[in-house]
Amino acid sequence: MANPFQEQLLKAGLVSKQKVQKAKTQKRRDRKAKVDDGSAALKAEIAEQKRLQAEKDKALNTERFNQAAEKGLVRGLVTEFKRLAITLPQTAEIKFNYTLNNKIFAVYVDEKLQGQLLNGQLGIVRHEDSSYLVPHKLAERVKLLVPDWCGYLWEQTDENNTVEEDDPYADYVIPDDLMW
């Protein structure tokens, strides 16, 4: 024990080991409770920045949509992706899930279409409660003009997959096409 007063009390039999331990624990808890690391102010500041960024993004998207609507681009875009949409096979058994506006949607595809979606040859556009499989370039244009309609668009990431020398799982490949 670091406190000689506590040792003397223990030797005299006035306190038990459990009471000493309880006192240490309570002292530590009290000390931690009094420490203000400023995390509440930092969290509030970060939340405010996120809220401002979300408002800014929403205003920018609305402005971009209005400009495109004025030019008639949105109307032309709708007719274009309806015309170029790939029809979904009736006997498809593979469920392909995607998220849009924090909701999960599913499209049933066959193996060929699933491979094209995962390789970035196709994208999914959702408009008026319907999902359309469209070519990747068209899905990119939809995402630029109306990002709320672009359900799934495979994008290349520039992450360097470096393997550490002492990594015990280096021989195991992690698949990037897991279905959920």
Side-chain angles (χ1 to χ4, degrees):
M1 290 197 184
N3 191 345
F5 184 65
Q6 285 178 350
E7 288 179 19
Q8 289 177 357
L9 289 175
L10 265 175
K11 286 180 183 176
L14 298 173
V15 293
S16 65
K17 285 186 178 182
Q18 291 82 14
K19 285 193 176 192
V20 171
Q21 189 63 30
K22 188 175 180 181
K24 282 183 181 181
T25 305
Q26 188 62 39
K27 185 177 179 182
R28 186 173 16 94
R29 285 182 184 160
D30 291 344
R31 199 172 42 235
K32 279 188 171 183
K34 292 179 183 176
V35 174
D36 181 23
D37 59 355
S39 63
L42 182 63
K43 287 179 183 177
E45 183 180 332
I46 290 172
E48 181 66 20
Q49 287 177 351
K50 285 183 179 181
R51 188 186 62 77
L52 290 174
Q53 184 65 34
E55 288 177 3
K56 182 180 175 183
D57 290 345
K58 188 174 182 179
L60 184 63
N61 285 341
T62 305
E63 179 183 335
R64 191 179 296 157
F65 179 76
N66 290 337
Q67 288 175 352
E70 288 176 8
K71 294 180 184 178
L73 293 176
V74 174
R75 203 171 337 116
L77 193 63
V78 170
T79 58
E80 188 174 357
F81 70 68
K82 284 184 178 180
R83 183 175 48 89
L84 294 176
I86 297 171
T87 57
L88 297 173
Q90 297 295 328
T91 60
E93 295 179 1
I94 299 173
K95 185 177 181 181
F96 190 86
N97 295 320
Y98 65 95
T99 59
L100 179 65
N101 298 331
N102 295 327
K103 293 181 184 175
I104 299 174
F105 297 98
V107 176
Y108 285 93
V109 296
D110 57 8
E111 289 183 19
K112 179 183 174 189
L113 292 176
Q114 180 188 21
Q116 289 177 345
L117 281 166
L118 295 175
N119 290 332
Q121 297 169 347
L122 294 177
I124 299 176
V125 174
R126 185 154 179 92
H127 177 65
E128 294 179 353
D129 297 331
S130 297
S131 298
Y132 301 94
L133 291 177
V134 296
H136 188 265
K137 293 287 184 184
L138 182 58
E140 284 180 336
R141 286 189 23 227
V142 169
K143 187 172 184 174
L144 283 176
L145 290 175
V146 191
D148 292 338
W149 292 354
C150 190
Y152 175 78
L153 181 64
W154 183 85
E155 294 176 347
Q156 178 78 24
T157 57
D158 294 332
E159 296 178 7
N160 293 335
N161 293 332
T162 59
V163 178
E164 296 179 16
E165 291 180 20
D166 59 347
D167 187 10
Y169 299 106
D171 296 335
Y172 301 101
V173 179
I174 301 171
D176 61 345
D177 60 346
L178 292 174
M179 299 304 297
W180 43 274

